[in-house]
Amino acid sequence: MPRKSEVYYVGVDVGTASVRAALVSRSGQLKSIAQEPISIWEPQADHYVQSSTEIWEKCCTVVKRVVRGVDRSRVRGVGFDATCSLVVLDQSFQPVSVTQDGDRHKNVVMWMDHRAEGQAARITQTSHGVLNRVGGVMSPELQPPKLLWLKENLKESCWNTAAHFFDLPDFLSWKATGSLTRSLCTLVCKWTYCPPEGWDPSFWIAIGLEDLVENNFSKIGNSVTCPPGTPVGDGLTQEAAAGLGLNVGTAVGASLIDAHAGGLGVLGADVKGFNLPCEDQPITARMAMICGTSTCHMAISQQPLFVPGVWGPCLSAMVPGMWLNEGGQSATGRLIDHMVQNHPAHNQVQAQAQFPFPGDHTYSYLNNHLRSMAGSLSAVDLLGSSLHVWPDFHGNRSPLADPTLKGMVTGLSLSQSLDDLALLYLATVQALALGTLHILEAMREAGHDIRTLFFCGGLSKNPLFVQIHANATGLPVVLPDQTEAVLLGAAVLGACGSQDYSSIQEAMEKMAKVGKVVHPEGELQSFYERKYKVFLRMLAHQREYQDLMNPR
């Protein structure tokens, strides 16, 4: 039971498939965690939708659970993070359907929804100046193409009815406080907002969304914006407080996209005594990787750096006053699951992985199986010398910014054995690590000086995934002492909203801590140099195949 003298913050994380909450102490210790699943519907290929009503209900459920038995007056602040999904509401703030069947319950276009690939390509073709801050290419995962798709395909049932378009993190802040203030994190990263100038009307007019300019951009958020962690409104409303089980007026810090919350949960940790190359260097020498269903690569700089194929630079999008570049891979954990679960030997692995403990220990089992195949841990990487994967099964977010790219595997045999599955799993993890190296090289070429990687998210709990990233990039990987760094980052927002800390930077330093450091195995450097050459050659072949089949 928490001590009566302690104060706490609640962090709420709305991920792709679940809502989680944590009660966090002022020193950054997670005292309790709760989780609830949320529904995902796929009404047709590349369409992924959710319900904002269900999401908020699950937020209330998990928060009530983590604060049970705690004096409400000790909970000083709440912070929300969420996926960068698009929420659509009408004039009365009721859900508006984003599906062809008109089901109002389904009013959220998910971040991974790629229905707007055509609209994204047309927006890119405008070559408008705002595209410079998204790597020069508009992604279907950003909000402008999704908005354009809704206008072009659901004009009567959705577009003409909609009065409020929220990024999901901002929707949660509004539900909690009643304030329409939007976080710079969402607007700058996903909507083309650029402080201090704000919205560029010529962009929206150029892409056919001139109606969003009306009433000072009221439908997508006017000039009422603030950096992450800023106190929003007057804190929790009476209705929200009752739903969450907290006191009216409890502070709410301006929200973040989930990956950015992970960045707050790891980047600021004190690294003294760990013999890391980023020690005594500014925070700009660090890159956060939030590794889950997809992976986000977050690096900050004192001055704006333009990286082709990488989102940003975005001012005050994660750390107020600093510029953010965000690289990413659209499918990482999802890709690993896809490769493993669709292999003929998957059922055999599942059966073996149930013993001696019940539950799904598939990846622990495969990691152990690879070690047994290799004979020693250090030789596991070398098993991937003849099997290679190009990992962009869901397109390339960075650094190529090409959603049309597809996956590729070379080196397959007729084998369907357990060994064959283990090798395919290994090659997929190696491909994802080489994709990170690809992003790192683009960032370095643009001026970033990244010396250490800081991991969080579900895949950071997989030791093979972590070690291979260290080996392939040649950089040490820092793991947080709290395994739920995204929740910690959300709690940092609550701590700043309560004004118990004077800044995001101070809260990060006091609440985030190093847990473990994984160093690269130097003897594998030449192996990964060769494998990276194969990786780039696969890209060249894929583009050649596309050109052959789709001549201009």
Side-chain angles (χ1 to χ4, degrees), residues 252-275:
V252 176
S255 59
L256 281 171
I257 298 165
D258 54 349
H260 302 60
L264 290 192
V266 294
L267 268 186
D270 184 356
V271 299
K272 285 185 174 61
F274 288 93
N275 192 31

Side-chain angles (χ1 to χ4, degrees), residues 68 76 83-84 99 105-106 126 136 141 170 185 188 307 332 335 337 364 371 401 407 475 492 497 515:
R68 188 178 299 148
R76 300 269 301 151
T83 63
C84 51
T99 62
H105 191 62
K106 301 169 184 174
T126 67
E141 294 179 15
D170 288 321
C185 177
V188 175
V307 187
T332 48
L335 175 63
D337 288 346
S364 295
R371 282 194 288 271
L475 297 178
V492 165

Side-chain angles (χ1 to χ4, degrees), residues 415-433:
S415 172
Q416 297 182 348
S417 68
L418 178 55
D419 285 1
D420 180 63
L421 170 54
L423 291 176
L424 184 61
Y425 160 64
L426 172 65
T428 302
V429 173
Q430 289 178 325
L432 293 170

Side-chain angles (χ1 to χ4, degrees), residues 425-443:
Y425 160 64
L426 172 65
T428 302
V429 173
Q430 289 178 325
L432 293 170
L434 293 171
T436 291
L437 177 59
H438 203 198
I439 293 167
L440 272 169
E441 288 196 341
M443 287 187 166

Side-chain angles (χ1 to χ4, degrees), residues 382 385 388 525-535:
L382 303 178
S385 60
H388 310 282
Q525 181 179 351
S526 62
F527 169 77
Y528 277 106
E529 287 174 354
R530 295 194 303 275
K531 196 163 179 77
Y532 189 53
K533 289 180 181 178
V534 175
F535 182 83

Side-chain angles (χ1 to χ4, degrees), residues 187-518:
L187 291 189
V188 175
C189 292
K190 308 300 177 183
W191 296 72
T192 73
Y193 188 88
C194 183
E197 297 86 358
W199 297 111
D200 186 335
S202 68
F203 168 71
W204 298 98
I205 294 168
I207 68 172
L209 292 178
E210 61 282 346
D211 29 356
L212 293 181
V213 178
E214 297 171 2
N215 299 318
N216 193 26
F217 296 92
S218 61
K219 289 186 178 181
I220 58 175
N222 52 30
S223 57
V224 184
T225 64
C226 65
T230 304
V232 178
D234 296 320
L236 292 179
T237 64
Q238 186 169 353
E239 182 180 358
L244 295 166
L246 295 171
N247 284 342
V248 175
T250 301
V252 176
S255 59
L256 281 171
I257 298 165
D258 54 349
H260 302 60
L264 290 192
V266 294
L267 268 186
D270 184 356
V271 299
K272 285 185 174 61
F274 288 93
N275 192 31
L276 288 166
C278 67
E279 187 174 343
D280 298 324
Q281 297 294 320
I283 196 171
T284 54
R286 310 177 182 193
M287 184 169 81
M289 284 183 55
I290 297 80
C291 317
T293 305
S294 62
T295 293
C296 293
H297 304 69
M298 323 286 285
I300 55 179
S301 58
Q302 294 284 359
Q303 302 298 325
L305 298 174
F306 293 84
V307 187
V310 170
W311 296 338
C314 301
L315 180 61
S316 297
M318 185 169 73
V319 179
M322 301 193 76
W323 297 86
L324 171 71
N325 282 114
E326 179 188 350
Q329 294 164 302
S330 293
T332 48
R334 186 174 171 219
L335 175 63
I336 294 171
D337 288 346
H338 174 79
M339 300 295 268
V340 170
Q341 293 171 7
N342 286 285
H343 193 278
H346 177 239
N347 289 338
Q348 182 184 350
V349 171
Q350 279 195 309
Q352 295 287 343
Q354 297 302 313
F355 301 99
F357 306 107
D360 187 0
H361 299 285
T362 299
Y363 296 112
S364 295
Y365 180 84
L366 286 173
N367 291 348
N368 288 329
H369 189 78
L370 285 167
R371 282 194 288 271
S372 68
M373 289 174 64
S376 69
L377 180 61
S378 62
V380 164
D381 303 62
L382 303 178
L383 294 172
S385 60
S386 60
L387 186 62
H388 310 282
V389 173
W390 178 262
D392 291 326
F393 285 49
H394 197 53
N396 183 283
R397 187 188 299 169
S398 303
L400 305 173
D402 185 349
T404 68
L405 284 177
K406 305 299 181 186
M408 181 187 295
V409 183
T410 182
L412 291 172
S413 70
L414 288 174
S415 172
Q416 297 182 348
S417 68
L418 178 55
D419 285 1
D420 180 63
L421 170 54
L423 291 176
L424 184 61
Y425 160 64
L426 172 65
T428 302
V429 173
Q430 289 178 325
L432 293 170
L434 293 171
T436 291
L437 177 59
H438 203 198
I439 293 167
L440 272 169
E441 288 196 341
M443 287 187 166
R444 286 169 174 159
E445 192 169 332
H448 281 283
D449 180 21
I450 296 164
R451 306 186 184 192
T452 307
L453 304 178
F454 287 70
F455 274 29
C456 66
L459 285 175
S460 70
K461 301 170 189 175
N462 183 332
L464 182 78
F465 182 87
V466 175
Q467 186 65 65
I468 286 178
H469 270 74
N471 293 344
T473 63
L475 297 178
V477 176
V478 175
L479 299 174
D481 74 328
Q482 301 290 328
T483 56
E484 304 297 344
V486 175
L487 282 168
L488 177 61
V492 165
L493 298 174
C496 291
S498 71
Q499 299 182 305
D500 286 351
Y501 288 109
S502 62
S503 67
I504 286 279
Q505 292 91 326
E506 182 190 7
M508 288 167 64
E509 185 176 347
K510 295 294 173 70
M511 297 177 72
K513 296 174 179 64
V514 175
K516 180 182 179 181
V517 176
V518 177

